[in-house]
């Protein structure tokens, strides 16, 4: 079975909501041009190709379990589990499944994987090849979070780099953002990227950043669409500290997408073909 082309989506009626993600963060003023810093990161230091069926590789991935505080800080509606019903590797892809079901007081279940304490890094190229779900109320993400030094530091001081966020009711648009002190939550700094004549829920796309001292470059399918630097943020630049760890999750509901509605079809899946991290070769 070809892991990149065998999953088919149901035909669904496309409904549009207002451009919610644009109002959720402040758009970075920098443009894609020849003045941007572009580095070459070619030394592969971590890769999960998801070639072994079953549970995700426990030497790389751990799990957040439960509903977190205040729905993981965002009023999310799901209960995160490590059950195979919500997260498994099959046919060369990691499958994160959001389900509508009563579970431990929640109405939805999903999964949130993280490399905290297993793989953490400052700077480099972080990328993943992903096919996204579809539907109102779905909120998948591929992102990095700064280590909290065993609880001695808190968000947003630790920093957050969102490589890919997406709301399921806008299947042609994703966005990348940063959060730090003075520019977190609704004041985060980022920029959307819109596909032309394509959708993120009908095929795989590569989401990545190249991150170095004083810059973060954002890519979709190797297209550089934004760069964020210390000049673009209205507070302390916390991205020269480290290390940061990787998170993959599918949230249901929350402040950004809102709750699912009658048009939302469950279950929904996020398929991850691979996750790779590179350093610059000396």
């Amino acid at each position: 079975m070809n892991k990149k082309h065998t999953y088919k989506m149901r035909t669904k009626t496309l409904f549009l909501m207002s451009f919610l993600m644009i109002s959720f963060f402040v758009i970075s003023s920098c443009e894609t041009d020849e003045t941007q810093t572009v580095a070459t990161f070619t030394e592969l230091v971590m890769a999960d190709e998801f070639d072994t069926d079953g549970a995700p590789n426990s030497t790389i991935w751990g799990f957040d379990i439960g509903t977190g505080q205040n729905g993981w800080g965002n009023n999310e509606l799901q209960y995160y589990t490590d059950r195979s019903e919500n997260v498994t590797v099959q046919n060369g892809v990691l499958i994160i499944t959001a389900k509508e079901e009563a579970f431990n007081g929640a109405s939805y279940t999903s999964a949130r994987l993280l490399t905290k304490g297993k793989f953490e890094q400052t700077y480099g190229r972080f990328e993943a090849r992903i096919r996204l779900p579809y539907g109102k109320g779905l909120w998948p993400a591929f992102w990095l979070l700064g280590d909290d030094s065993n609880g001695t530091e808190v968000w947003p001081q630790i920093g957050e780099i969102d490589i890919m966020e997406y709301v399921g009711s806008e299947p042609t648009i994703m966005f990348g953002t940063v959060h730090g002190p003075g520019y977190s939550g609704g004041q985060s700094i980022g920029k959307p990227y819109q596909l032309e004549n394509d959708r993120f829920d009908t095929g795989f796309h590569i989401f990545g950043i190249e991150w170095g001292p004083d810059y973060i470059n954002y890519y979709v399918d190797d297209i550089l669409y934004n760069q964020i630097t210390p000049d673009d943020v209205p507070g302390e630049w916390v991205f020269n500290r480290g290390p940061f760890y990787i998170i993959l999750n599918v949230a249901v509901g929350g402040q950004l997408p809102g709750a699912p509605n009658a048009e939302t079809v469950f279950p929904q899946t996020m398929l991850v073909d691979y996750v790779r991290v590179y350093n610059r070769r000396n």
Side-chain angles (χ1 to χ4, degrees):
M1 184 178 292
N2 188 317
K3 66 183 180 181
K4 297 179 180 178
H5 302 295
T6 54
Y7 290 89
K8 298 179 181 178
M9 290 297 293
R10 300 180 181 89
T11 301
K12 298 183 274 303
T13 301
L14 175 62
F15 61 96
L16 297 177
M17 69 181 204
S18 64
F19 204 68
L20 178 59
M21 65 284 293
I22 297 298
S23 64
F24 190 70
F25 58 84
V26 178
I27 298 176
S28 172
S29 61
C30 60
E31 298 294 335
T32 300
D33 59 32
E34 67 278 2
T35 66
Q36 292 184 327
T37 301
V38 177
T40 301
F41 296 91
T42 59
E43 181 184 6
L44 184 66
V45 293
M46 191 280 277
D48 196 338
E49 306 293 330
F50 303 112
D51 289 336
T52 302
D53 285 2
N57 186 340
S58 62
T59 67
I60 299 175
W61 303 103
F63 298 92
D64 279 328
I65 303 295
T67 56
Q69 184 176 2
N70 187 33
W72 303 99
N74 302 302
N75 295 313
E76 297 165 25
L77 303 176
Q78 79 289 326
Y79 191 104
Y80 284 133
T81 87
D82 60 358
R83 305 178 305 161
S84 60
E85 294 95 321
N86 295 115
V87 57
T88 190
V89 176
Q90 293 180 13
N91 301 312
V93 293
L94 172 71
I95 306 171
I96 299 177
T97 302
K99 301 181 68 176
E100 184 176 18
E101 60 177 335
F103 189 88
N104 287 355
S107 298
Y108 305 91
T109 60
S110 187
R112 174 161 145 165
L113 291 74
L114 64 165
T115 65
K116 184 177 183 179
K118 299 174 184 285
F119 176 82
E120 302 182 7
Q121 179 168 299
T122 305
Y123 308 143
R125 178 176 175 88
F126 295 73
E127 70 175 32
R129 187 171 183 266
I130 303 173
R131 196 197 78 182
L132 297 172
Y134 172 80
K136 176 73 167 65
L138 295 165
W139 186 6
F142 166 43
W143 49 300
L144 309 180
L145 196 60
D147 191 281
D148 63 1
S149 299
N150 295 318
T152 60
E153 297 185 61
V154 297
W155 186 89
Q157 185 65 39
I158 58 175
E160 176 181 329
I161 303 171
D162 299 323
I163 301 172
M164 178 280 299
E165 281 188 283
Y166 161 95
V167 294
S169 56
E170 291 281 2
T172 66
I173 301 169
M174 57 75 61
F175 49 98
T177 61
V178 295
H179 301 253
Y183 50 99
S184 62
Q187 300 304 311
S188 60
I189 303 298
K191 186 175 182 179
Y193 179 86
Q194 184 163 13
L195 290 174
E196 298 294 336
N197 304 314
D198 199 0
R199 293 164 49 140
F200 287 113
D201 64 315
T202 57
F204 284 88
H205 295 270
I206 299 172
F207 305 98
I209 59 164
E210 291 192 349
W211 166 31
D214 298 326
Y215 73 93
I216 303 170
N217 288 344
Y218 282 81
Y219 296 84
V220 175
D221 297 328
D222 291 327
I223 297 171
L224 174 63
Y225 73 93
N226 196 26
Q227 179 178 85
I228 301 175
T229 72
D231 291 339
D232 298 309
V233 303
E236 180 187 357
W237 179 262
V238 291
F239 307 105
N240 290 343
R241 67 180 295 282
F244 281 57
Y245 57 90
I246 301 168
I247 304 175
L248 290 165
N249 69 289
V250 179
V252 180
Q255 294 165 343
L256 181 57
N261 62 18
E263 304 294 327
T264 308
V265 176
F266 285 96
Q268 286 287 329
T269 57
M270 179 167 81
L271 308 182
V272 185
D273 184 20
Y274 63 74
V275 176
R276 297 172 185 163
V277 181
Y278 299 82
N279 273 338
R280 186 180 300 176
R281 190 177 298 278
N282 294 325

